[in-house]
């Protein structure tokens, strides 16, 4: 499957919002978030298109890790529309974001996946990632946008 990759735009909102809902399993109004991401030098948001339809995205945030004295990056979301999976599109998005992060001088790229997300765990392992620690989370009121 040939997908073309490009930087996201505000006009991709509807498709990105659907993909984000599929990723985190809850709806939200993500307009302000998309606007902030697109105007921040610390964020990269790349979409995959097939026949002019956005069917996947990858979102990376790059930051200074003071403890390491180096640039690090978090992969904040990688999702491919369910009917387009297992065709190499996730791989293309991941490779592009790794290329961008490497070019910037990022030393460590982190990604989280739910422990029961076998597809994501297999996918990331297949691409060379390994488990280094467990993530803990504080749920602060109103912090996640989650409604459940
Ligand atoms: C994880 C995800 C992005 C992979 O995208 P994709 O386009 O299907 O991935 P690819 O086709 O490039 O897969 C490459 C390899 O990853 C592994 N993989 C992908 N999906 C898998 C699955 N469901 N089960 C087992 N291995 C899987 C396989 O090794 C696969 O190679 P193969 O198809 O030759 O066996 C996709 O499943 C997805 O969008 N999931 C929902 C969102 C999510 O959980 N994102 C990750 C957390 S941020």
């Amino acid at each position: 499957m040939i997908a073309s990759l490009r930087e996201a735009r505000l006009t991709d909102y509807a498709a990105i919002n659907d993909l984000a809902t599929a990723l985190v399993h809850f709806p939200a109004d993500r307009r302000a978030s998309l606007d902030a991401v697109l105007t921040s030098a610390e964020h990269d948001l790349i979409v995959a298109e097939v026949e002019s339809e956005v069917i996947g995205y990858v979102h990376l945030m790059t930051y200074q890790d003071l403890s390491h004295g180096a640039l690090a990056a978090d992969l904040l979301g990688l999702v491919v529309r369910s009917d387009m999976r297992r065709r190499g599109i996730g791989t293309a998005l991941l490779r592009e974001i790794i290329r961008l992060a490497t070019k910037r001088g990022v030393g460590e790229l982190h990604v989280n996946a739910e422990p029961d997300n076998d597809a994501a765990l297999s996918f990331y392992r297949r691409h060379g990632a390994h488990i280094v620690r467990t993530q803990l989370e504080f749920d602060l009121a109103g912090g996640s946008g989650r409604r459940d």
Side-chain angles (χ1 to χ4, degrees):
M1 166 71 49
I2 304 292
S4 51
L5 306 186
R6 63 165 171 82
E7 287 180 15
R9 310 189 268 257
L10 261 187
T11 48
D12 298 323
Y13 175 74
I16 289 173
N17 195 37
D18 286 350
L19 289 163
T21 299
L23 176 67
V24 297
H25 308 294
F26 62 87
D29 184 342
R30 303 180 171 94
R31 263 172 254 263
S33 203
L34 179 62
D35 195 30
V37 162
L38 293 179
T39 52
S40 164
E42 281 138 29
H43 291 263
D44 291 289
L45 186 60
I46 305 291
V47 296
E49 269 185 330
V50 170
E51 291 169 1
S52 304
E53 270 193 79
V54 170
I55 50 80
Y57 77 76
V58 61
H59 176 197
L60 183 84
M61 183 179 69
T62 304
Y63 54 91
Q64 281 294 339
D65 181 344
L66 183 62
S67 61
H68 289 216
L71 267 187
D74 288 355
L75 208 165
L76 296 177
L78 169 59
V79 57
V80 174
R81 208 171 70 191
S82 56
D83 59 319
M84 290 286 176
R85 291 180 192 163
R86 299 305 280 267
R87 301 175 194 208
I89 296 167
T91 297
L93 285 163
L94 181 66
R95 286 193 178 141
E96 175 59 9
I97 218 69
I98 288 176
R99 188 189 70 75
L100 277 174
T102 306
K103 194 170 125 196
R104 302 231 159 90
V106 166
E108 276 183 11
L109 172 57
H110 309 126
V111 62
N112 287 304
E114 298 292 332
D116 61 352
N117 190 343
D118 295 332
L121 293 172
S122 299
F123 173 80
Y124 289 125
R125 281 204 175 104
R126 159 103 186 242
H127 290 288
H130 51 279
I131 294 175
V132 292
R133 60 180 73 88
T134 301
Q135 170 168 298
L136 303 172
E137 181 170 289
F138 294 97
D139 287 326
L140 307 183
S144 69
R146 196 176 196 139
R147 283 174 177 72
D148 56 359

